[in-house]
Each structure stands twice: as C-alpha cells, then as structure tokens.
C-alpha cells in the first residue's frame, strides 16, 4: 500500500467467488480518499443553523403520527459542521474517550489517553434509547432520563494503525507494539451511558452506575444452535460455550422485551491466516467457509493485532490451524464472530450473549416486526457486502406480552432468540418473493452437494453457504432494516454496489449506470436504493415487494437513474441507517456515502413513506437489455426532506429518540477520516476538527460523537 491507498474494511466485499453463478469480486479497493479527493468548500447552507448555540426546552404534551414534515429542508453542505433546520439545535453530548467512571481522567485528545475500557469507544454507530424513571427503574414512557446503548464499530485507521488515538499516529509496520494494540482492542465494542436533561439541556453522566463498556476482551456467552459446536472450540473455550468479545458492531435494534441487540459486521478483516494454512487444514470443510467469509490463506489483518505477542490477547487474531487440535489454538476464533449479540442495558452485571440462531454473516442491524400475543417473534436482518442476502428469523416460542415488562430480560432473549427458523429472501421479477428456509428440514440444505450441512450448528455458523445453496437473491449490499409501525412493511437499505453489472441486473437490483465524481467514472448501482416488503402476516413465507426509493443525484437522468424524482431538497447517495420513529412514524434515513461527497457531506433525511405498490412498474432501458421493476411513488419535498448534514469525512449513522419524540440522538462517525496519518499532529491539515470546532472537548483531533437534537420551542422533532 502507498500512503494514499487504504483497504476500506468498512465497505467490505464478501468473497463470493465460491458462490455459484456469481462474478468474482475484488479483494481490495482504493480508499475513498484516493478515489475521491475533492476540493474543500466552506460555509454552512443558508437558512440553516450550524452546530452549537442556544439552549432548548423539553415540552410534555403527547405525540402523534405526523401528517406532514414541518421543517424547512437543509441544503447540501460541505461545511465542517453539523447543520440542522432553522428552529432546531444540535449539541454534542458524548464523544470518543469521554470518561465513564468518576475516577477516569478527562480526555486530553492528544493520543496519550489510556484506560479506554472506562471511556467511550470509537466510531459511534447504531444507538438505542432505554428509558429510566426518576428512581432509576426501567421506563417506556419517561422522557428526561435514560440510557444510550451504542456500538463502537471501528476506528479511523490507515496502514494498520488506529492513528488518532496514538500520540504520533502509531506504528504502521509489523510487528505492532502491544501497547498500541491494547488501546485498539478497547476502543471497539459497545457502550452504555446514562443521559438526562434538566429541562434545558441534555448531558451524559460520567459517574453513573449504569455506565458500561463491552470490548473485544469481554467474556461472552454463546447461545443457540452453535453453543457447544466443534466449530467454536478454541483454547479459550474448548467446549465452544463461550467466546471473548464483540467486534465491528454496526447497526442495532431493540427487542420487544427491552434489551439491546447489535450486529457484528466486518469482523473477518481483523484476522490473519498465513499462506500455508489451507495445506495444514487439508480436507477441513472450513476452508471453503473461510474463503466464502473473506479469509483466504495469506490474508493480512486490518490492524496486525496478531503480531503483538504470544499471549492469547494477540495470538487469538491468528486464525491458522497451528496446533494439533482446534482445542489448542485459535483456528476457530473467527467462527466466534459474526452474530447478533444481546445485552441487557439495565444490568451491568449481565453477560453479553451471542444469539447464534440468527445466523453468522456481516450483520448490519436487526429489526423486530410488530409482536402479537400467541404469535412468533419475527425479525429482519441484512448482510452488508456486495451480492449478499436479506434474512428473516421466526421464533419457535410465541409472544407473551408479560415478557415486555419482565425483569429477567436475557431469559426472554433465551426464549425467543435461541430457537427458531432462519430464512433468506428470494426476489422474483413479478414483484413477489419467497423466504427460503435455512434448516435441515429443507431438502435443498440437507442434501446439498455445495456444502455439507449435518447439524443446526452448521447452518448457524456457515449461514452464507446455506443461503447460497437455496439461491437467495444477491442484493446491492443490504444495510439496515426497519419495520413501519403503521402497517408492518419492512424497509431495507441497499447502500450501493460497484459490482452490479448489466449481466446481473434484475428487477430487485435494476440500476446499472455511470456517475462522474471529480472527473472519474463511478459504475454499477452508484447511489443505492431502498427495497420494501409486505407480508399478509409476519410469519408468511411469501411476500410482495417494490423499491420504495432510488437514491440519486437530483440532476441525474430521470429515466434510468433518478427514478424517484429527487430534487435539491432531498437528493442523497448511499442510504445506510434506516429507523422508524415510534413517536411520529417518520422514517429516518442516514447516509454513509463516498459517491456524492464532492457535493455534500453525509446526511439524515426524514421521510413519510406510503405503501408497497403505490408507484406501479417501470422499465429501465440498458441499451439492449430491459429490466422491468416495481417502484414506489415519486418523491416530493413533502414526503422526503433533508434534515441534517454532517461534518467533513463523517458518516451519519444510528438514531434513537425519547418516547415523547422531543429529542433525537444521532451518531456522527469518523469525521476527518480522510486525514493523512503523517499529519496527525498538524491540525491545519486535518480534514475535520469536529467536534472541537463546535466547542466540545479538548484538542483538535476529530472524534466520533453522539449529538442530541431538540426543537427550540420544545416541540416534537420533525414538526
Ligand atoms: Fe457498518 Fe454496513 O455499515
Ligand atoms: Ca456525481
Ligand atoms: Ca452501517
Ligand atoms: Ca455503510
């Protein structure tokens, strides 16, 4: 790698070359920096308020489903600031390094800070609100005190090092110093932080007894079909019943019984396998799975953590079959990642649990369908890599409404998430679709010649191969799923896919086009889309679908690209986060973009969606190939409006709200990520100085952070 070239591990391909009838994909790509080095542009958009400024008040009236979006749209912006509509205020409340105990020193933000196990982690991502009443008991209605549980997905890295957290940028060659790795191991994971408002201003509570960190080093229980599987045996847990840590946690969810769930996404890039490992493993069927999951023999690791020493802390990141049996080495360590993990945010002593029944893949988030007494609990999930699948889980146990208020929340998790059936989606051209069962009850799985499935653990651990076997539909990078509380329709963002070609374009992934950025061509499905599924009832294995929204530049061709009729008030690229507000019914859409960033930083939009089938069919002409698809109705600024634009280099990801809808919490990830490591101590060369330039915290190094947004008149967000 040169200084300008970076493997973008957060925008990862799965290795689908073993996947029947699918094109070979690239292993590495140029970074967004080297591809998209745009000129800087300053100045917040006219008519909008930059971050910082006046105090807010919280009102107390009840909320209602919004009939219209009341705010004035925010213009596209390349300012190094969070921009929100007139009449709204955004404030930073919780950033990388902030102390989570009374004894932890303030964050200096100069690369010398330590003790990250007691500080906010890096790369804030999915986030969920868990309310507390005045006495500190769990509350679904109290709106001025609560816990924010959130993911810390990754770190701003270049050439192995996580450079902003090391004084001089850290070591970019192997072997890496243990002291640097020790910090990096602790900035990943999950945090829980208590927040409250005094009626004027929100703040987090650094000394709250509820505050908690979970890192790559925390002991985790394995639950569901893979518990005790030979595939999970390691020297740390020879019987495969426990694991260590959670990693690359991306999207989140909230269970109907009040726990936090988090998806382990691009974990495979953290492991090293030497070039001889295939030979050593001989006929081990895991070699096929390792390739399919992105770890070819000889694959380098993202941070070189395996190079820090011979103790388990470092050795576990070497995924090679090095000893005589799996119980004596870490050849299976990678199989202990890739799950949905569940945490009880109210109980700092409760163990983190890996829910293996929900499958192992590049989990974005998990969203739950509306529950009904006596009916199974149903959840939807995306696997974020090019050409990967959309999944559904249906519990064996049926919903008991008493569990919504129970105090043993992880026991409810055991009940609903450890036994059930997993499905992968197959989209048909006619606008219908089918959920394909991934279990040994399905003869396609039981008799597969593609991969040997003998047990439920085989399906839980090698889920991508099971979905290959049933020929699920390869999608344009499935990210967040969300369920519309009004009608139960399921929305899934498909962020973009540079590998989509005319040969593989289909009704559910119909766009293939060229877009220009700074004089360079971008190809495939450059800007992404959002697919929408409707079921008769949640447990149905048949569904109908359409494409709710095609992300696009406003100026793009309306016949082939800008199919949703977007304008300057609502055009976007690379939808990723998608969360429905329970308070208002607003569908919040967030972007993680590298394609339109010559024009605008990443953003948050508010949508009032209609319903599946409200737009009819449309035929796209790709020269001599036509693709007919099913589209949602065209958008207008009344149905889709830009609410926020973030600082430079940042992704906007994760959003949650107080139950009254009067405060939303939004995460701003990796501002300044395109800074060169050589400039780590030259703030004038940082791509971003946010949130320091918004008045938050010491130093000038950019930090991932949580912001709270309130309406200056105390009203409901979006009105
Ligand atoms: Fe971590 Fe798919 O975004
Ligand atoms: Ca462009
Ligand atoms: Ca994401
Ligand atoms: Ca993304």
């Amino acid at each position: 790698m040169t200084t300008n070239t970076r493997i973008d591990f957060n925008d990862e391909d799965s290795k689908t070359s073993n996947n029947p009838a699918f094109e070979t994909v690239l292993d590495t790509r140029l970074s967004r920096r080297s591809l998209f080095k745009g000129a800087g542009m300053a100045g917040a958009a006219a008519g909008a308020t930059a971050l910082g400024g006046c105090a807010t008040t919280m009102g107390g009236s009840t909320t209602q489903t919004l009939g219209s979006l009341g705010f004035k749209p925010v213009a596209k912006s390349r300012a190094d600031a969070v921009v929100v509509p007139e009449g709204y205020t955004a404030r930073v409340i919780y950033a990388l390094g902030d102390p989570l105990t009374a004894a932890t020193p303030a964050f200096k933000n100069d690369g010398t800070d330590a003790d990250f196990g007691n500080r906010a982690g890096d790369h804030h991502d999915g986030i969920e609100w868990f309310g507390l009443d005045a006495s500190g008991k769990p509350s679904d209605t109290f709106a001025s005190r609560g816990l924010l549980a959130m993911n810390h997905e990754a770190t701003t890295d270049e050439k192995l090092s996580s450079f902003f957290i090391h004084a001089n940028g850290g070591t970019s060659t192997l072997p890496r110093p243990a002291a640097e790795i020790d910090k990096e191991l602790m900035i990943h994971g999950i945090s829980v932080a208590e927040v409250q408002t005094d009626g004027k201003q929100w703040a987090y509570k650094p000394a709250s007894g509820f505050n908690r960190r979970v890192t790559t080093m925390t002991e985790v229980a394995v639950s569901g079909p893979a518990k005790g599987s030979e595939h999970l045996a390691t020297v740390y847990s020879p019987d495969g019943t426990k694991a260590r840590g959670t990693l690359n946690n991306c999207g989140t969810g909230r269970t109907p019984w009040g726990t936090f769930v988090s998806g382990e996404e691009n974990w495979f890039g953290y492991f090293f396998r030497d070039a001889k490992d295939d030979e050593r493993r001989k006929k081990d069927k895991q070699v096929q799975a390792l390739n399919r999951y992105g770890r070819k023999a000889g694959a380098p690791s993202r941070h070189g953590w395996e190079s820090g020493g011979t103790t388990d802390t470092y050795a576990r990141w070497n995924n090679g079959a090095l000893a005589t049996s799996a119980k004596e080495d870490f050849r299976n360590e990678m199989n202990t990642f890739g799950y949905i993990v569940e945490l009880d945010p109210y109980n700092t002593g409760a163990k983190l649990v890996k829910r293996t029944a929900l499958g192992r893949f590049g989990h974005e988030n998990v969203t739950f369908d509306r529950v009904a007494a006596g009916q199974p609990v149903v959840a939807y999930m995306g696997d974020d890599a090019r050409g990967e699948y959309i999944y559904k889980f249906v519990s064996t146990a049926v919903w008991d409404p008493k569990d919504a208020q129970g105090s043993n929340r992880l026991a409810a998790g055991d009940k609903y998430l450890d036994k059930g059936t997993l499905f992968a989606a197959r989209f048909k051209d006619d606008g219908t679709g089918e959920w394909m069962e991934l279990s040994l009850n399905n003869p396609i799985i039981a008799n597969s010649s593609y991969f040997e499935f003998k047990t439920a653990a085989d399906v839980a651990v090698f889920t991508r191969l099971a979905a290959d076997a049933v020929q699920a539909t390869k999608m344009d990078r499935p990210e967040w799923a969300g369920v519309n509380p009004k009608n139960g329709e399921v929305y899934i963002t498909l962020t973009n896919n540079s590998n989509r070609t005319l040969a593989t374009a289909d009704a559910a992934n119909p766009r293939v086009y060229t877009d220009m950025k700074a004089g360079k061509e971008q190809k495939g499905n450059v800007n992404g889309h959002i697919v929408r599924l409707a079921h008769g009832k949640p447990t149905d294995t048949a569904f109908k679908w359409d494409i709710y929204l095609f992300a696009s530049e406003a100026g793009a061709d309306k016949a082939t690209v800008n199919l949703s009729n977007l304008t300057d008030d609502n055009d976007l690229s690379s939808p990723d986060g998608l969360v429905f507000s329970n308070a208002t019914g607003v569908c919040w859409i967030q972007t993680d973009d590298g394609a339109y960033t010559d024009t605008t930083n990443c953003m948050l939009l508010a949508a009032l969606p209609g319903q599946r089938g409200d737009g009819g069919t449309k035929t796209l002409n790709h020269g001599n190939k036509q693709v007919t698809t099913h589209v949602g109705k065209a958008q207008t600024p009344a149905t889709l409006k830009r609410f926020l634009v973030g600082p430079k280099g940042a992704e906007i990801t994760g959003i949650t709200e107080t139950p009254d809808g009067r405060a939303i919490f939004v995460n701003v990830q990796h501002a300044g990520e395109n800074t060169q490591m050589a400039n780590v101590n030259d703030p004038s060369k940082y791509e971003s100085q946010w949130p320091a330039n918004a008045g938050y915290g010491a130093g000038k190094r950019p930090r991932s952070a949580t912001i709270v947004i309130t309406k200056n008149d105390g009203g409901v967000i979006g009105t």
Side-chain angles (χ1 to χ4, degrees), residues 126-128 130 149-151 190 249-264 339-345 352-353 355 358 364-368 379 410 413 417 480:
I127 182 170
E128 304 290 336
F130 295 90
M150 73 183 77
N151 288 339
I190 294 167
N249 303 78
C250 189
T252 51
R254 199 194 140 95
T255 62
W257 49 97
T259 60
F260 174 79
V261 274
S262 163
E264 297 178 332
Y339 301 103
I340 293 293
V341 296
E342 183 179 17
L343 175 136
D344 181 352
L352 189 73
V353 185
R355 297 295 181 193
L358 278 68
E364 185 76 20
N365 83 322
V366 54
T367 188
F368 289 84
L410 289 180
L417 295 183
W480 286 63

Side-chain angles (χ1 to χ4, degrees), residues 209-212 218-219 343-352 410:
F210 286 106
N211 293 348
R212 182 178 183 184
T218 307
E219 186 177 314
L343 175 136
D344 181 352
Y346 294 112
N347 182 353
T348 55
K351 222 170 240 181
L352 189 73
L410 289 180

Side-chain angles (χ1 to χ4, degrees), residues 10 125 153 248-251 265-266 362-364 384 477-480 495 576 592 651 653 669:
N10 282 328
D125 205 321
E153 184 182 30
N248 210 264
N249 303 78
C250 189
E265 191 192 34
N266 284 310
H363 276 286
E364 185 76 20
D384 180 12
R477 290 186 58 198
E479 300 253 26
W480 286 63
T495 195
D576 185 341
D592 171 17
E651 161 186 354
T653 178
Q669 188 184 103

Side-chain angles (χ1 to χ4, degrees), residues 96-150:
L96 162 70
D98 279 343
L100 289 171
T101 76
T104 310
F107 191 59
K108 295 199 290 287
N109 194 24
D110 60 2
T112 64
D113 298 279
D115 194 16
F116 281 90
N118 288 312
R119 298 181 181 279
D122 203 354
H123 280 210
H124 298 38
D125 205 321
I127 182 170
E128 304 290 336
W129 164 272
F130 295 90
L132 291 168
D133 68 15
S135 67
K137 297 237 164 54
S139 164
D140 287 341
T141 53
F142 211 69
S144 59
R145 181 182 179 196
L147 305 175
L148 294 177
M150 73 183 77

